[in-house]
Amino acid sequence: MNITKKEVDNLNAVLTVEISKDDYAPKVESILNNYRKTANIPGFRKGHVPMGMVKKQYGKAVLVEEVNKLLQEKLHNYLTEEKLDILGNPLPKNEAEIDWNADDFSFEFDLGLAPEFTVDVKGKKAITSYKVVADDEMINNQVKTIRKQYGKLIAKDTVEKGDEITGTFTNEEKNIDNSTTISTDIIKGKKQLDTLLGAKVGDTVTLKTKGFFKDDHDNQKHFGVSHDDAHGLNIEVTFKIEEVNTREMADLNQELFDKLFGKDVVTSEEELKEKIKEDAEKQFEQQTDQKLLNDVVESLIENTKFELPDEFLQRWIQNSGEKRLTEEEAKAEYERSEKGLRYQLIEGKLRAEHNLQVSFDELKDYCKNMIKGQMAQFGQTNPSDEELDSITARIMQNQDEVKRINEQLNTNKMLDFFKENAKLKTKEVTYDKFIKEAYE
């Protein structure tokens, strides 16, 4: 057997695999001998079928199967040993021309080669790294929400601003018959609010849905309509008022602080606001980190220039699925996936050059810390090493969970690497401004 590689250009090559009769004949002969021992052919005793008849009936199929097995094995070994960095899989070039009646065979495969390139993580233009700051308005609103949430409901007869109204919306046209509780604070429509203010328990009022709430998605929740109907809903509904409650704000005292955060973790309103600020800004980090990662990836794809074996990759896409695609379908799919492929190559190069792979010990440590955090939420703050090891072992046997954790750790490693090495400029903004700048 002989394997040779001929480079067409920097991105394409042809691999030729030559297989002689000596490479496959002993295996084929052995299989046919076994067939002869077990074959049931009318007119012959089992084990006494002439070899010529066995070869005539099974010889070609066995030959093709064994040659293909040998071909795939040697092809894989060659690519591994030569450490060829290829894209996709080798594509047969001359399979239609193979003469299976010959003794020797020569198979050709097209290869798509990965390009040579360098990655400049620093780049010329700085990328914005957002830091969302919880401002006084956000903190004060959160304090107000907490005080309302832990306050007391006091029943009353007449609707006033700030009250919570429980009742039933109805409309025959849209089959609406939905019981709900709404706060006057979320009502956007001035006419609707004016209609409700001063109404009493037991009253039924007629309201227009257009512009009722600040967010159309509230139409789905409170009117009980579908998601599609919720957008731009413009009908009249009746609303029977069944309860009116005002919420007496909870006092900012030690009892409330302990209920929220545990005994003596927070001891004053100032500390409460500081804790709210800290927790809020920590939650924002996930969004700002994702935005930073997306922006760095886009920048690397845009600024890391290299050619790809486009024609080869389109042919590989065309033939690699369960169903063969047309040329037009394969081209469209390649255009959709090209950017992702480019980043895979860039990321792979960065991981290899900077040793950013996730180790097995890192997976285990991550699992243990995750388990500790979950157990702490249920009051188990000091689990034993044996207990942690046992739970970790069970998690590590779940391939889907291991894959999910590995992907998360890989993402974290790349993000940390970018934070340390990319050219960044930090920008402090409120959450509203971050959303506006980042996504609108």
Side-chain angles (χ1 to χ4, degrees), residues 19-22 24 99 102-106:
I19 296 178
S20 67
K21 187 174 182 179
D22 292 341
Y24 64 83
D99 179 8
D103 290 334
D104 301 329
F105 308 100
S106 180

Side-chain angles (χ1 to χ4, degrees), residues 92 199 245 326 341 388:
N245 294 289
T326 65
L341 173 58
L388 288 173

